[in-house]
Amino acid sequence: MKKVALFMGELFDEYQIEVTKSLEAEAKRRGYRLDVFINFGVYGNNFMYAEGEKSMIRLPHFEDYAGIIMATDTFELPGYEEELVRYVRKNYQKPIVSLRTDKDDVYSIIIDDEKSMEMMVEHFITVHHFDRICFMTGKMNMTDAQRRLQGYKNVMEKYNIPITEHMVFEGDYWRNAGAAAVDWFFDQDERPQAIICSNDYMAISVCDALRDRGIKVPEEVAVSGFDDLDEAKFYVPSMTTMRVPTDKMGVRAIELLDEILAGKDPDKKQMVPVNQQVRGSCGCGHHFATESMQTLLKQKVKLENVLAQVAYMSVSFDNADSIESLMQTANFYARRLPFSTLYICFNDQEELDNLEEDDKPPYSEHMILNTILGGNEPLFVEERFERSQLLPDKYLREGQTLYTVALHDRVDYFGYVAMYVDELNNIQHIFQIWLLALADALGKLKMYKDSEALSELREKYEIDALTGIGNRRKLERVVRNKHERLSSLGERFGLVSVDMDDLKVINDTYGHPEGDKALTGLAHILEEECRGDGAAARMGGDEFAVCLDYSGEAQIKDYIARIRRRIDEDNASGAHKYTLSASIGYVLTQKDVPLMESIMLADDKMYEEKRCKKKVRSRRI
């Protein structure tokens, strides 16, 4: 089967999703397999992380692809587009198609920005009979911004409407300049009747600025945008704009590759038409696009779910202390994403280590498929394969699009994640956070492995200095990991709360060193009796807790009985003058009971026993 490579930035935004879907459908119809190579932008001035994202250029074997499609205006990495074109041109002779960006050295599928903007300006003049129409451009170093401005000028000239200095303002294609633009437009004798913007983000910022000044849209000033983003539909009033036909762009890109490969000589520049969307912001349509309400509510629910998961995700990944436990955590959160399957592919480090330092590429020629995520449990496979395949043959799905994204931190290249996606629309917002958390955790594991001293430091960080058993940090990590398994697989576990009785009496009567011995003695009993079946920890002072792997109440009761028997044996030995005693409560966790509620229930039972002991002693007195 012939293959096409698509390079896409920030895949899970609205435009990227729509164009990818259309490319996938047309590629499948014409007998191509689409492989998508994703890159994300970099926040802040993080040069090394940007280099990791750019490594996607070196991942595919381009000789295996019939052609390359680039969504160049989605690349947020400086220089990524130029490096990609230069690398392909230097090493391969493959047709390259650029989407939405006009480039002289490759085939380009673009919209007719000039004619599209002419259509919008004509609407305001012929339908609304406006003659005081201002224009907010995009970044003027960009070709599309220049063409859209020219379309505005063409129509204004056609109708003999003069353009004065304060009728044009250079914007930023983002939300930052709306207030400045409105100030500029209103700094003239006659206020504008309409403000046409080169994209929706700027149009929304202009509407916000007008509202802040008490100016009604569209009653006093009409506004329009360009691109037809979801946000423009949801805005009140809903935005009059131009819709870029992403479906037609995707279809035309695959058609164009077919023509080139068939030996035809199509034009370098391919134009697709733009559709005008007339809505409330110009005064023609409804103020609110009611058909978008359901979509808006669904997005709200998605974001709420994302926030709920993100709050715990980074902590859970950080607690992983091995590849196995890390993949358990990764799988737990991946199952909440709408993926069919994710494949974690690591570099063959031994192969890379045999290369000269200056010649080391970001990816080895052979990769190791380490783990498959998506089921109830991660599947560890450790299969070696040639990188040109992206996955071992038996995991490739005929006719399905494979998505790949680099797996790296600021220093190291670990490999990549390959995935099959059930529904692109449902993985916005959360996937990049998951990926960053996974890569960061891999970096920490590598750091611990590379530095024995740091590994020892981490172990000490989770050990109670007095008793030598785990501390609160260790127990929190163990309990959190078990609770994740409880939530996903329903595997129950036991929580035991232990409080040593009369520590203050021992300290006051025999001294603090003797109290410390009593605490240490109880700690060792708790740990020795659960060894292999859980973890014991000193939570602070005279409080202990034990997390047990037991799924039955009888097993927990047997553990507690062993503790009491050991305490009795210790007291009978006559090794100390005081009587060692502990109050104990327990709970067997349930899937539908919150973790904190379970912990509090175990504590309540322990304190009830302690209160009963005090009542018995008081009656004796």
Side-chain angles (χ1 to χ4, degrees):
M1 174 179 277
K2 296 179 292 184
K3 297 191 297 183
V4 174
L6 168 64
F7 282 83
M8 180 74 79
E10 306 287 342
L11 174 65
F12 310 120
D13 286 345
E14 182 184 352
Y15 161 72
Q16 287 91 312
I17 290 173
E18 290 184 1
V19 78
T20 302
K21 284 181 175 179
S22 66
L23 283 165
E24 181 179 18
E26 187 63 17
K28 187 174 183 179
R29 194 179 75 81
R30 291 176 177 264
Y32 291 97
R33 189 185 95 190
L34 185 67
D35 290 339
V36 183
F37 299 92
I38 309 162
N39 68 84
F40 291 104
V42 176
Y43 299 96
N45 188 22
N46 196 326
F47 170 77
M48 293 305 294
Y49 191 83
E51 290 304 299
E53 289 297 293
K54 289 180 181 179
S55 71
M56 292 302 287
I57 297 172
R58 305 288 298 278
L59 176 58
H61 281 223
F62 286 103
E63 62 266 29
D64 297 335
Y65 289 88
I68 301 156
I69 300 172
M70 307 186 306
T72 51
D73 64 342
T74 68
F75 299 160
E76 295 293 330
L77 298 168
Y80 185 79
E81 172 190 337
E82 291 78 12
E83 287 187 33
L84 174 59
V85 174
R86 185 166 57 250
Y87 182 77
V88 175
R89 284 281 183 261
K90 179 180 178 181
N91 298 284
Y92 310 96
Q93 295 300 315
K94 300 290 180 179
I96 301 175
V97 176
S98 171
L99 298 178
R100 283 207 314 190
T101 303
D102 186 2
K103 299 184 64 62
D104 292 334
D105 53 345
V106 302
Y107 291 91
S108 302
I109 297 178
I110 55 178
I111 62 171
D112 195 330
D113 293 287
E114 194 169 324
K115 281 188 168 31
S116 300
M117 192 54 72
E118 287 176 358
M119 187 188 308
M120 183 64 77
V121 182
E122 286 265 5
H123 176 77
F124 281 103
I125 293 174
T126 61
V127 175
H128 296 283
H129 309 293
F130 293 156
D131 57 8
R132 297 191 303 281
I133 304 171
C134 294
F135 190 81
M136 186 174 183
T137 78
K139 297 176 182 178
M140 288 307 294
N141 63 333
M142 299 179 70
T143 305
D144 60 348
Q146 297 167 14
R147 288 175 173 164
R148 292 176 192 183
L149 174 60
Q150 189 58 52
Y152 164 74
K153 290 179 177 180
N154 292 345
V155 178
M156 296 292 275
E157 182 180 353
K158 174 182 174 181
Y159 289 93
N160 297 314
I161 302 173
I163 300 174
T164 62
E165 179 186 5
H166 280 265
M167 290 174 69
V168 177
F169 180 88
E170 182 174 348
D172 57 1
Y173 269 151
W174 191 230
R175 311 171 188 270
N176 302 318
V182 170
D183 288 340
W184 178 258
F185 295 143
F186 278 71
D187 189 17
Q188 53 186 321
D189 293 335
E190 291 186 283
R191 65 171 15 180
Q193 296 167 308
I195 299 174
I196 297 176
C197 301
S198 277
N199 79 351
D200 289 337
Y201 289 125
M202 293 191 301
I204 290 169
S205 71
V206 164
C207 288
D208 288 342
L210 290 169
R211 179 178 295 147
D212 291 342
R213 290 157 178 75
I215 300 168
K216 296 179 181 178
V217 178
E219 291 84 355
E220 296 179 77
V221 177
V223 178
S224 70
F226 202 108
D227 288 333
D228 197 26
L229 301 176
D230 273 348
E231 192 172 348
K233 301 171 192 172
F234 301 149
Y235 194 79
V236 180
S238 55
M239 192 66 62
T240 292
T241 185
M242 304 299 292
R243 178 166 182 77
V244 177
T246 51
D247 54 340
K248 291 185 174 62
M249 297 188 80
V251 170
R252 185 61 193 133
I254 301 296
E255 285 178 348
L256 186 58
L257 283 177
D258 249 1
E259 292 171 11
I260 298 166
L261 296 172
K264 298 179 182 178
D265 187 23
D267 292 337
K268 282 278 190 178
K269 293 178 177 50
Q270 301 282 319
M271 296 284 192
V272 293
V274 176
N275 305 316
Q276 189 174 39
Q277 305 293 315
V278 177
R279 301 195 183 103
S281 68
C282 75
C284 285
H286 297 291
H287 270 41
F288 187 79
T290 54
E291 72 277 6
S292 300
M293 174 64 81
Q294 189 174 6
T295 303
L296 184 61
L297 291 174
K298 286 181 180 178
Q299 288 191 0
K300 177 178 177 291
V301 172
K302 283 183 192 177
L303 285 173
E304 288 173 349
N305 290 335
V306 167
L307 289 173
Q309 292 182 55
V310 169
Y312 299 100
M313 187 185 296
S314 60
V315 176
S316 299
F317 274 95
D318 192 53
N319 282 330
D321 54 7
S322 66
I323 288 291
E324 289 74 19
S325 63
L326 174 58
M327 293 306 164
Q328 290 279 0
T329 301
N331 192 65
F332 173 78
Y333 286 102
R335 290 179 64 225
R336 283 153 170 74
L337 303 174
F339 296 104
S340 172
T341 319
L342 294 98
Y343 303 87
I344 309 299
C345 302
F346 289 146
N347 283 325
D348 185 332
Q349 197 56 49
E350 184 176 344
E351 183 179 292
L352 289 176
D353 288 343
N354 290 327
L355 301 175
E356 293 294 331
E357 193 64 36
D358 292 341
D359 296 330
K360 282 187 181 179
Y363 303 99
S364 52
E365 281 300 308
H366 292 85
M367 304 296 296
I368 309 295
L369 173 58
N370 175 268
T371 316
I372 302 174
L373 305 180
N376 287 337
E377 289 285 319
L379 178 62
F380 298 97
V381 291
E382 291 294 316
E383 294 187 31
R384 191 169 185 263
F385 64 97
E386 292 186 8
R387 191 185 83 235
S388 60
Q389 300 170 256
L390 294 181
L391 283 176
D393 282 340
K394 65 182 178 182
Y395 299 110
L396 293 172
R397 301 179 186 178
E398 187 74 19
Q400 277 197 254
T401 298
L402 184 67
Y403 299 84
T404 54
V405 58
L407 187 57
H408 67 94
D409 62 6
R410 291 182 295 274
V411 179
D412 295 299
Y413 301 98
F414 305 114
Y416 57 86
V417 177
M419 53 200 168
Y420 290 108
V421 181
D422 292 335
E423 179 50 61
L424 280 174
N425 297 79
N426 292 335
I427 53 179
Q428 290 173 291
H429 315 301
I430 188 68
F431 175 71
Q432 188 178 8
I433 300 169
W434 178 89
L435 183 71
L436 287 169
L438 175 60
D440 187 55
L442 283 169
K444 288 177 181 176
L445 286 179
K446 183 177 184 298
M447 179 179 68
Y448 292 136
K449 182 180 178 181
D450 291 346
S451 174
E452 191 173 321
L454 281 172
S455 297
E456 292 176 2
L457 181 64
R458 187 180 188 188
E459 289 176 9
K460 290 178 181 178
Y461 181 71
E462 292 188 343
I463 297 299
D464 178 58
L466 174 64
T467 64
I469 69 171
N471 59 18
R472 177 186 292 272
R473 299 184 193 94
K474 180 173 182 178
L475 195 81
E476 286 178 348
R477 175 172 61 82
V478 171
V479 170
R480 188 180 295 109
N481 289 340
K482 287 187 178 299
H483 192 258
E484 288 175 357
R485 292 178 61 81
L486 172 68
S487 301
S488 60
L489 303 178
E491 293 183 1
R492 301 192 296 176
F493 61 96
L495 287 172
V496 180
S497 178
V498 182
D499 195 275
M500 186 175 141
D501 298 328
D502 300 324
L503 176 62
K504 186 177 187 303
V505 174
I506 297 173
N507 285 333
D508 292 346
T509 306
Y510 304 104
H512 285 277
E514 200 65 33
D516 289 347
K517 287 181 182 179
L519 286 168
T520 302
L522 178 59
H524 288 171
I525 291 173
L526 295 175
E527 184 177 53
E528 287 166 9
E529 290 303 323
C530 77
R531 188 167 293 163
D533 294 322
R538 182 184 176 212
M539 305 303 283
D542 55 3
E543 297 177 4
F544 298 84
V546 185
C547 181
L548 296 168
D549 295 338
Y550 305 144
S551 59
E553 194 167 359
Q555 294 171 295
I556 302 174
K557 288 181 177 180
D558 181 63
Y559 169 75
I560 294 172
R562 296 199 307 270
I563 297 301
R564 297 195 191 281
R565 185 168 58 250
R566 286 284 303 275
I567 291 174
D568 290 343
E569 291 171 356
D570 185 72
N571 288 327
S573 70
H576 39 72
K577 300 176 182 179
Y578 54 84
T579 299
L580 185 64
S581 176
S583 298
I584 305 174
Y586 74 91
V587 69
L588 184 62
T589 57
Q590 304 292 333
K591 185 172 183 179
D592 297 327
V593 178
L595 179 60
M596 284 306 301
E597 188 174 325
S598 296
I599 293 172
M600 290 172 65
L601 183 58
D603 285 344
D604 288 344
K605 290 181 178 180
M606 179 271 293
Y607 284 121
E608 180 62 29
E609 181 176 308
K610 188 175 282 288
R611 283 192 292 270
C612 289
K613 287 180 179 179
K614 287 182 179 179
K615 286 180 181 179
V616 171
R617 283 198 298 269
S618 65
R619 284 198 295 269
R620 288 174 181 170
I621 294 173

